[in-house]
Amino acid sequence: MKDNLGYVHVYCGDGKGKTTTAMGLCTRAAGYGYKVLIYQFMKNNKTSERKILQQIPNITFVDGLERKTYYEKQFRKITAKAAEENYDLLFFDELIYTIRAGLFDEQILLDYLKNEKPAHLEVILTGQQPSEELVALADYVSEIRKIKHPFDQGLPARLGIEK
């Protein structure tokens, strides 16, 4: 059942739907019987999707905080957990944005993907403006482009839709 895993996915761009797309893939994988591990950078552990998805037996969320040293330590802890507990899919939500904000060293991610990631582990990354090196390393890269969004008119994020 666990054949053909081990690819790296990047969902990027300025459009709404990167996290939603990745969470959909996590749901699909869990429905198939894969073990899924999710960590959300830059979020407060209270997102709407988390409330429902953490009820699915094959999906595990890891809580986090917003501090650079914490992020890098947490990354190491989570990647070790993924390997030790034989997870099939690892989703790092907003890690690319966290790198761009200077809160995480991209070289740590690149080294992990090139040298440390278990061969069978599928990895999903989201955020804006991935580096050329990350794009080249990924197997799937999908850009979600904003054409129009209520934010443009100054409307706040809506519960259940944007957060």
Side-chain angles (χ1 to χ4, degrees):
M1 180 162 79
K2 295 183 180 185
D3 48 354
N4 297 318
L5 288 178
Y7 292 102
V8 176
H9 305 245
V10 170
Y11 297 106
C12 59
D14 65 355
K16 176 190 176 319
K18 295 176 290 293
T19 296
T20 305
T21 299
M23 291 294 184
L25 180 52
C26 290
T27 303
R28 174 180 282 163
Y32 187 70
Y34 291 148
K35 285 179 63 178
V36 177
L37 185 60
I38 301 171
Y39 182 79
Q40 295 183 286
F41 290 85
M42 308 296 288
K43 295 185 178 175
N44 66 4
N45 305 317
K46 296 178 184 173
T47 61
S48 296
E49 65 271 9
R50 181 185 181 118
K51 290 177 186 176
I52 193 69
L53 292 178
Q54 65 190 4
Q55 297 177 37
I56 298 173
N58 291 358
I59 296 180
T60 301
F61 280 84
V62 177
D63 289 343
L65 299 172
E66 296 183 21
R67 292 193 308 264
K68 181 178 180 179
T69 56
Y70 182 83
Y71 278 152
E72 292 173 359
K73 288 178 186 174
Q74 192 72 333
F75 179 87
R76 293 290 186 204
K77 180 180 174 184
I78 292 166
T79 55
K81 177 186 177 90
E84 290 167 9
E85 297 186 25
N86 203 29
Y87 278 90
D88 302 301
L89 189 147
L90 174 58
F91 172 28
F92 282 124
D93 189 22
E94 295 293 357
L95 179 52
I96 299 167
Y97 175 78
T98 305
I99 291 167
R100 295 292 146 253
L103 299 173
F104 189 89
D105 181 356
E106 183 178 46
Q107 196 58 51
I108 294 171
L109 172 63
L110 296 172
D111 289 345
Y112 172 75
L113 294 174
K114 290 177 189 175
N115 306 313
E116 302 169 35
K117 181 184 83 60
H120 78 280
L121 184 64
E122 201 88 359
V123 176
I124 304 172
L125 307 165
T126 60
Q128 295 184 10
Q129 301 175 338
S131 69
E132 289 180 21
E133 188 172 0
L134 182 56
V135 168
L137 184 63
D139 300 289
Y140 296 86
V141 178
S142 296
E143 183 177 11
I144 299 173
R145 184 173 61 95
K146 179 185 75 127
I147 295 172
K148 186 177 182 181
H149 195 291
F151 285 159
D152 299 336
Q153 284 77 44
L155 298 174
R158 298 174 296 149
L159 291 174
I161 304 300
E162 286 93 15
K163 65 179 187 176

